[in-house]
Every structure is written in structure tokens, then in C-alpha cells.
Amino acid sequence: MEQAPAVVVDRLTKRYGARTAVDGVSFEIARGETFALLGPNGAGKSTTVEMLEGFRTPTSGTASVLGVDPARADRAWRSRIGVVLQTTGQAGALTVREVVAHFARIFPDARDVDETIEAVGLTEHAGRRVAKLSGGQQRRVDVALGIIGRPEVLFLDEPTTGFDPQARRAFWDLIRGVAADGTTILLTTHYLEEAEQLADRAGIIAGGRLLALDAVARIGGAAARTPIVRWTDAGGRHEVRTDEPAAVVRAIAGEPADLEVVRPSLEDVYLSLIADTEPEEAAA
Ligand code: ADP
């Protein structure tokens, strides 16, 4: 029998006074899947995730994580999920090993402390105070604490904001390892590439609404990914959307210097989807 989804969200809505932060969002995440909620600042990503973590109560709609309503969850449920919040809040005076060991004692079936520190690439810093680490290294401590209890579902809220490209790549490898262990992951990010690198499926959210939901390679639908051929000749600038770009190129007379064939990326699809939504500053 196929396992029930790890996460089921149905018309989930959160209002703060007159502002609707999350507006009727529905999606499911299968067991073992990595799902990205992708959207600009103020889109409603964190609010959605915090409702799934049981930290905020929905105004309407329902959420279920591992078959449980997070708003009514108990300790047993909490020990089956892992949370990496947006901000690091670790006691800076403790060493990496002390913090991880402290968290390990909370969980019934915690991972080995040193193995976990190694998994996040901090073995050589295990004896250092968390406060002395770089931002990227502190984020790794957050992930260590998120996975120490062997969570079945891991929530990662904008895990690489502020990382340099090298630290981001190393972090992606770490998350791929966690996913390979069978952990279901819900990632929020405003980095397109992060979703492309890590997620099986993604939802694009803006203004609290889910605008698209699909496998990362298919999001926006086939039409949105149709190749575009562009070139300039005596007749001016041409742009043709076609499923047969090679045939179009063959039919072009001469050798236009600016000839190009582009396949719209997730970024192109994303930008066209969110183009019609108000940025947060404008809406405020
Ligand atoms: P994201 O994580 O996508 O950046 P958030 O979920 O943090 O977006 O915020 C969604 C919207 O809800 C924003 O307009 C934000 O200002 C608003 N919001 C978030 N938390 C609160 C709150 N506690 N009170 C009032 N408005 C809030």
C-alpha cells in the first residue's frame, strides 16, 4: 500500500487583521519528497511553514503533518519533525558539540552526536563556541539541531539566505544527504537555483496564493517552456516561440550575429508568474 502523504495542506488561510498572509493554499508532500515553496519576500512562505510546525494557528483551512493537525500536536509528534527556523538562535557561549549533545538528549532516538556534527561538516569546529563561527557554519549548527532527532519531516526556512556561493553549494550537498536518508523536506527559499538544485516539486507562492505547483522541470506548464528563437535581419528583430527551433534556424537566410535559441528557465517562468503580483512594499 502506498504511504499516506507526509504533509497535506487544504485551503490553508492566515489573516492578520485586514491582511491575508496565506490565502487558500493547498498542496501535498509525499513521503521522502523534497518540496520547495518558492516566492518573493512577504509571499507567505514562513507563515505557511509556521502553521505546519504548529507555531501559528490557521484562520481557516486545514493542515496535516504525519497525519496530525500541527495546532493540536503533542510531544510525540514534535519529536518526529525537525525545524530549522529563519533566524539562528543558538546559545553562542556553548561549543558546537555541547549544543548538539544538549539537543540529542531531548529526543527518544537521537542520532549520534559526533556523526551528526560530521554530517554537517563541522567536525573540526566541534570544540569551538557557536558565537565564534561564521554565519554559514552557524546555519550548519541549526541543521545539525534540525536533524539530530532523526525527523521524518524536516522544515528548512530560507536556510541559505546570506551565504556566499561556495557555502551555498556545500550546504546543498548536506541537504541532499539528508534527503537521501529518506527524510521528507519542506524548504522555503527565494533562490530559484536552490529549488532547482534540491527540490523534486515546487510551489510558487506570491501574495499568499499558490500560483503554480508541479515538478520543478515542468512548473508553469509545457507552453511556458517552449523554446524561443531570436535574431535580427534586414527586416528587423524577430522572436519566434516554437517546438521546432532547429527548423526555424535552418530557414533563416544568412548568418545573423545575434542568433540565439533559448529555453525559458524556471527563473523566466517564475518572473512571468509573479510579475502581476504586488511586491510587499507596494502592497503595504
Ligand atoms: P515570506 O516568508 O514569504 O517572506 P511571510 O509569511 O513572512 O512571508 O509574510 C507574509 C505576509 O504576512 C507579509 O505581508 C507579512 O508582512 C505578513 N505578516 C507576517 N507575520 C505577521 C504578523 N505576525 N502580523 C502581521 N502581519 C504579518
Side-chain angles (χ1 to χ4, degrees), residues 22-48:
V22 176
D23 194 0
V25 165
S26 303
F27 61 86
E28 293 187 0
I29 308 175
R31 285 275 187 161
E33 188 174 35
T34 298
F35 180 85
L37 256 189
L38 193 57
N41 286 327
K45 302 182 297 295
S46 294
T47 304
T48 302

Side-chain angles (χ1 to χ4, degrees), residues 16 19 21 40-47 56 86 158 280:
Y16 298 106
R19 178 181 285 271
N41 286 327
K45 302 182 297 295
S46 294
T47 304
R56 299 197 200 196
Q86 254 185 45
E158 302 198 353
E280 184 171 24

Side-chain angles (χ1 to χ4, degrees), residues 204 211-225 266 269-270 273:
I204 295 180
L211 304 177
L213 178 68
D214 210 336
V216 169
R218 281 201 305 265
I219 214 158
R225 300 296 179 100
L266 176 60
V269 174
Y270 171 84
L273 279 171

Side-chain angles (χ1 to χ4, degrees), residues 24-202:
V25 165
S26 303
F27 61 86
E28 293 187 0
I29 308 175
R31 285 275 187 161
E33 188 174 35
T34 298
F35 180 85
L37 256 189
L38 193 57
N41 286 327
K45 302 182 297 295
S46 294
T47 304
T48 302
V49 171
E50 286 169 14
M51 288 190 278
L52 298 180
E53 294 164 344
F55 296 146
R56 299 197 200 196
T57 318
T59 308
S60 65
T62 58
S64 159
V65 176
L66 298 171
V68 173
D69 175 356
R72 299 160 193 276
D74 57 7
R75 256 184 98 92
W77 176 84
R78 199 149 278 291
S79 74
R80 296 168 66 197
I81 68 160
V83 171
V84 177
L85 297 172
Q86 254 185 45
T87 46
T88 335
Q90 290 330 310
L94 298 179
T95 67
V96 172
R97 186 177 286 110
E98 284 166 347
V99 174
V100 177
H102 176 73
F103 270 72
R105 285 193 286 273
I106 298 172
F107 294 96
D109 180 31
R111 284 178 207 254
D112 180 78
V113 170
D114 287 319
E115 270 173 35
T116 304
I117 292 171
E118 193 181 338
V120 301
L122 287 176
T123 300
E124 58 181 297
H125 303 290
R128 291 183 74 193
R129 288 177 181 206
V130 175
K132 302 276 182 196
L133 302 177
S134 72
Q137 289 165 340
Q138 290 186 3
R139 216 68 187 106
R140 286 166 171 265
V141 175
D142 292 338
V143 174
L145 303 183
I147 64 172
I148 186 77
R150 292 182 208 279
E152 291 164 62
V153 179
L154 177 64
F155 295 102
L156 290 170
D157 203 358
E158 302 198 353
T160 65
T161 298
F163 278 33
D164 62 43
Q166 197 189 352
R168 178 165 295 129
R169 272 168 205 285
F171 194 89
W172 290 344
D173 285 338
L174 160 60
I175 298 308
R176 286 191 193 101
V178 175
D181 284 344
T183 314
T184 305
I185 298 177
L186 172 51
L187 161 82
T188 75
T189 184
H190 51 253
Y191 297 112
L192 282 296
E193 202 194 347
E194 189 154 283
E196 279 180 316
Q197 289 286 332
L198 295 180
D200 303 304
R201 284 191 313 132

Side-chain angles (χ1 to χ4, degrees), residues 222-229 239-243 264:
R225 300 296 179 100
T226 304
I228 303 167
V229 184
E239 181 170 309
V240 179
R241 278 188 161 257
T242 173
D243 285 319

